[in-house]
Amino acid sequence: MLGRDEELARLRAVLGGRAGTRSAVLLQGGYGSGKSALLRALRAEELAAGRAVLSATAEPLESTVEFAVARQLFDDVHAGERGTPPVPRPLTGPGATAEAAGEALYAAVAAHAAHRPVLVAVDDLQHADAASLRWLGYLIRRADDLPLTVLATLGPGEPGEGAHEDELADLLRLLPRQQHLLPLDEDTVHRLAVHALGERADRAVAAACRTATAGNPLLLQALLRTLATSPGRPGEEGWEEATAGTVHEIRPAVRALLGDLGAEAEATATTLAVLGGAQSVELVSQTAGLSAPVTQDTLHRLTRLGLVVVTGAGLVRAACPLLEAAEAACVAPSRRRELHGRAADLLRGWAAPCEQIAAHLVRCDSGRPWADAVLRDAAALAAGRGDPARAAAYLRRTRSGTRPAALPPERDSAPPR
């Protein structure tokens, strides 16, 4: 329960006050915010206290299976419990109706609640089937006098999206108590860093950890775990090794998440991460090969998920450096070079500053007849402001057949409006 003590205490208070009446709570959070961990912790505490727990996790592959989530609630009841009401199966068959199935499910919950308080815990409502969403709404409306708490989570996902838009929207209106899991603040990150790293975790280290993760509990946990085995500090070799190790650890989860979001979201997120830093929507859209409306809608989804943030200048960027690096690592090297090449071509067509174009030229395949002139101009500017290493990197790319230099991306540049 990394950094979520206050949220856990509030949810415990809700569960503690449910005697003789029902309550319903929605827990919302983006990728890695800790919503599922909170749900698991409360479930374990309720089971340890001898209370009834009916829990389910909605799965995308079962979103069209009628009563998939509702059935799973009763799968979780321990078969060895004495006095456990029979599971209402089968719920479908010759002559069966959705109304009869819903009534049978309600009766099973009420039978549990007649003996002790009940927690109905559902993770990832956005993936739930329509029949289960309707039944959960029915349960909440009818169970006024039962010692029952319905605790549901939402995300990564967007309310009102998908094939069950109406059912999900109707259920959310019945969940007036809502907790939004915000990023961890500086003091919390510092406290957690001290716990993991001891005396090494001064304010500078904690600040670097928060910058790298944007206060995301899942990413912070992974970073602290790798830092615990490395002596590095921000800006030192050990720190770079630790962050690289963290990217390697979280990459499979990021790859799976992007794959679940669909081709357009995956193309948008990975293009933004490969380009690096804050970019205009137009550059991301055209580099990814998507239409402007599709890119706008997709970026809105990614922002709701906590994967993308919008800057004050109206630019977009990955939510944090670690997430950006993990998303970019999901892209094959040849595809990365292709995206950088597209960006360089677009920026040149827009008459963007030469260094902005050069930042992509050093990462794409050579062969553009105009590239040498742009790289030399960019090198002169870099040298003039006292950055000889960057100037040298630009100049090396003017030699035919050289490989792209490992140069950090420009962070604050964007094509002209």
Side-chain angles (χ1 to χ4, degrees), residues 312-325:
L315 306 178
V316 291
R317 60 173 175 80
C320 65
L322 273 182
L323 199 56
E324 178 183 280

Side-chain angles (χ1 to χ4, degrees), residues 240-406:
E240 298 301 323
E241 292 177 357
T243 54
T246 305
V247 168
H248 179 75
E249 178 181 340
I250 66 176
R251 176 183 170 183
V254 171
R255 181 193 294 270
L257 175 62
L258 293 177
D260 289 343
L261 293 176
E264 292 168 347
E266 184 174 9
T268 302
T270 55
T271 297
L272 181 58
V274 167
L275 297 184
Q279 303 291 346
S280 74
V281 175
E282 184 180 8
L283 182 61
V284 175
S285 175
Q286 294 195 34
T287 302
L290 300 172
S291 68
V294 167
T295 304
Q296 290 278 7
D297 291 345
T298 303
L299 286 169
H300 175 71
R301 287 183 60 207
L302 294 171
T303 301
R304 293 292 297 267
L305 292 172
L307 301 179
V308 168
V309 296
V310 180
T311 72
L315 306 178
V316 291
R317 60 173 175 80
C320 65
L322 273 182
L323 199 56
E324 178 183 280
E327 290 170 354
C330 295
V331 185
S334 60
R335 175 62 173 166
R336 285 185 233 167
R337 293 194 297 272
E338 178 188 354
L339 292 173
H340 281 297
R342 287 187 189 178
D345 293 337
L346 288 165
L347 290 169
R348 179 174 180 265
W350 296 338
C354 60
E355 281 199 272
Q356 189 178 351
I357 304 171
H360 299 288
L361 287 175
V362 296
R363 291 171 176 79
C364 69
D365 292 325
S366 58
R368 290 166 175 79
W370 48 265
D372 281 6
V374 172
L375 288 165
R376 289 192 182 97
D377 288 345
L381 289 174
R385 68 167 184 271
D387 191 349
R390 190 178 295 258
Y394 290 151
L395 290 175
R396 280 196 300 271
R397 288 293 290 146
T398 62
R399 302 170 188 168
S400 177
T402 55
R403 296 178 61 82

